[in-house]
Amino acid sequence: MIQEMIQEMNDQSIIEPIIERLNRVFEDISGLSGQSMRIMEVCGTHTRAIAKSGIRYLLPQEILLLSGPGCPVCVTPEYYIDIMISIADREDVILVTFGDMMKVQGTCFSLSDKKAQGAQITVVYSPEDALNIAAHHRDKLVVFVAVGFETTAPLIGVTVKQAKAGGLDNLFFLTALKRMEPVIRFILQDERNKINAMICPGHVASITGAEHFRFITEEFGIPAVVCGFESQDIAAGICRLLEQLTGKRDKKFVNLYQRCVTPNGNPIAQQMINEVFDIADGEWRGIGTIRNSALVLNDQYRYLDAVKRFEIKNEQYSSPLNCLCSEILLGLKLPKECRLFGSICTPEHPSGPCMVSSEGACAAHFKFGGDGKNG
Ligand code: SF4
């Protein structure tokens, strides 16, 4: 039955042994009498890949896969969207952003609303596109909305350095860059979510190195794997975690994504982050302030910070979320537990940020479905 249900896993020589292992682990789990095993994936790309692959359909009742705060759009605070909007309202500005940010609501509006009202907002696929836009519109102030994690930060760092080296005095950066390690600690310290194991953020690990996440097992005593994004990678990762949770293997941290993630990561990308950014406390939508969880432009590049350039006051305001996004980001609830899911809240008309990006937990569940028990 399991074999029939996995449609994407087309390399049988790889997947068959994994299915056999999963079946053996499931036999052990059937004796757990209602005890659940809660596995969190922290990377938004994993969230989407898990939903798309249909892996949830395979899992027994006892295994819950929870999505963490690894979607940068989902965790960008409302007041930051408001800042973007106030900047976009200026006639002398072109706001440049990744497409995912467009539909996220601030306190009252989204960037899509503002664009419909005539604001100059351009969607790009790479931070470097902002350089070209600034070079071709010297009569405008160009502001790049820099959101993301350690995966995106090096590219943004390169762009910042190129802006300075090229003497572009009309390009600025509105940064809302986050670090993954502090938020993982924050989540694991929250005893309410009872997380038993973790799938580590593979994209971030490709920059920071797998060793960056060893603390999950060593400090919090739970199994953790770095795994890739193909169906068979994820199945193998879950299998490895379950083998540890059921005592078939010793509890330890494992890098199963060695084809892309080395123990110590990408030193050039790390150096780029270190050259351009300082670490600061960061604000996470639905979660609050987490110490040392943000990357901000350092002294050398702070003059390129849009908040400084436009003298924006840091008036943080967040209305209470009229949804369960906060609980979902913290691994306390599943999308199906939100009464707005799929009725009032859809990807076309998102009520909360988890429904906006394709990497948000609610959007992934809406698009690819669940099995009724795992969401
Ligand atoms: S369904 Fe919509 S409103 Fe509910 S938690 Fe998800 S994003 Fe928020």
Side-chain angles (χ1 to χ4, degrees):
M1 173 188 152
I2 287 176
Q3 203 150 3
E4 285 165 16
M5 296 186 79
I6 302 182
Q7 288 156 9
E8 285 206 342
M9 301 174 179
N10 45 17
D11 187 340
Q12 293 300 308
S13 65
I14 295 174
I15 195 59
E16 274 171 10
I18 298 174
I19 291 171
E20 268 177 43
R21 279 170 62 196
L22 273 171
N23 272 323
R24 281 202 301 274
V25 180
F26 291 169
E27 279 166 25
D28 287 356
I29 286 169
S30 60
L32 284 178
S33 62
Q35 242 181 291
S36 71
M37 290 189 179
R38 300 166 70 84
I39 300 174
M40 175 176 273
E41 87 276 355
V42 190
C43 185
T45 313
H46 273 141
T47 295
R48 190 172 191 280
I50 285 170
K52 187 175 176 197
S53 68
I55 279 173
R56 276 194 178 81
Y57 287 95
L58 308 177
L59 300 177
Q61 191 86 18
E62 292 85 353
I63 302 166
L64 282 181
L65 298 184
L66 304 164
S67 304
C71 159
V73 169
C74 305
V75 295
T76 300
E78 281 161 305
Y79 77 85
Y80 234 77
I81 313 286
D82 292 347
I83 291 174
M84 293 171 202
I85 286 171
S86 71
I87 291 174
D89 271 339
R90 293 176 55 121
E91 285 189 358
D92 56 348
V93 162
I94 301 174
L95 194 80
V96 179
T97 178
F98 297 134
D100 276 2
M101 286 308 303
M102 292 297 288
K103 278 199 203 161
V104 195
Q105 284 286 128
T107 309
C108 298
F109 298 109
S110 67
L111 291 178
S112 286
D113 297 332
K114 279 287 148 183
K115 191 170 168 71
Q117 290 167 15
Q120 297 183 79
I121 301 173
T122 303
V123 172
V124 293
Y125 296 98
S126 159
E128 287 176 319
D129 294 339
L131 289 169
N132 291 331
I133 294 171
H136 286 100
H137 296 85
R138 298 307 303 257
D139 56 328
K140 296 280 185 188
L141 300 171
V142 176
V143 177
F144 179 69
V145 174
V147 297
F149 290 97
E150 287 97 331
T151 331
T152 324
L155 260 184
I156 292 171
V158 169
T159 312
V160 169
K161 286 188 78 162
Q162 286 178 344
K164 182 175 184 184
L168 271 180
D169 57 4
N170 63 329
L171 177 59
F172 300 90
F173 297 82
L174 183 60
T175 61
L177 291 164
K178 303 274 194 288
R179 298 178 66 231
M180 200 49 102
E181 180 243 328
V183 76
I184 291 178
R185 280 181 192 282
F186 185 90
I187 286 172
L188 291 178
Q189 280 159 2
D190 184 342
E191 289 175 359
R192 292 174 302 162
N193 53 37
K194 299 184 173 53
I195 288 168
N196 302 107
M198 199 163 257
I199 297 172
C200 297
H203 287 342
V204 171
S206 69
I207 303 295
T208 62
E211 288 302 304
H212 192 68
F213 296 101
R214 182 176 287 279
F215 75 92
I216 297 172
T217 302
E218 296 198 340
E219 287 181 36
F220 293 92
I222 63 170
V225 291
V226 178
C227 71
F229 297 92
E230 302 296 328
S231 306
Q232 53 265 44
D233 290 321
I234 295 167
I238 292 171
C239 195
R240 181 63 76 100
L241 293 172
L242 292 175
E243 285 168 346
Q244 295 188 37
L245 288 170
T246 53
K248 277 187 177 312
R249 286 181 188 256
D250 290 342
K251 237 175 238 182
K252 69 180 206 183
F253 172 74
V254 192
N255 176 12
L256 295 178
Y257 197 24
Q258 290 180 15
R259 64 185 189 276
C260 290
V261 176
T262 60
N264 298 315
N266 182 333
I268 297 169
Q270 289 166 20
Q271 190 186 334
M272 185 56 63
I273 293 175
N274 293 337
E275 273 181 33
V276 175
F277 301 105
D278 277 344
I279 292 173
D281 295 347
E283 187 73 17
W284 297 63
R285 187 169 186 151
I287 297 178
T289 306
I290 300 179
R291 243 184 126 235
N292 295 333
S293 68
L295 293 171
V296 296
L297 291 169
N298 66 20
D299 283 347
Q300 213 186 330
Y301 299 101
R302 198 155 295 142
Y303 72 98
L304 296 174
D305 187 333
V307 169
K308 186 170 158 45
R309 167 64 180 78
F310 297 104
E311 298 178 350
I312 292 165
K313 298 216 170 47
N314 193 9
E315 287 170 0
Q316 299 189 11
Y317 169 74
S318 290
S319 59
L321 289 175
N322 186 23
C323 70
L324 291 185
C325 286
S326 165
E327 286 89 339
I328 287 168
L329 294 170
L330 292 170
L332 299 169
K333 299 270 187 197
L334 297 166
K336 68 173 183 181
E337 294 178 82
C338 176
R339 66 194 162 80
L340 306 183
F341 179 80
S343 54
I344 290 173
C345 184
T346 63
E348 285 69 39
H349 300 286
S351 305
C354 294
M355 192 58 97
V356 173
S357 162
S358 63
E359 296 194 346
C362 295
H365 280 69
F366 183 87
K367 178 153 188 209
F368 299 109
D371 63 358
K373 60 182 165 53
N374 268 313

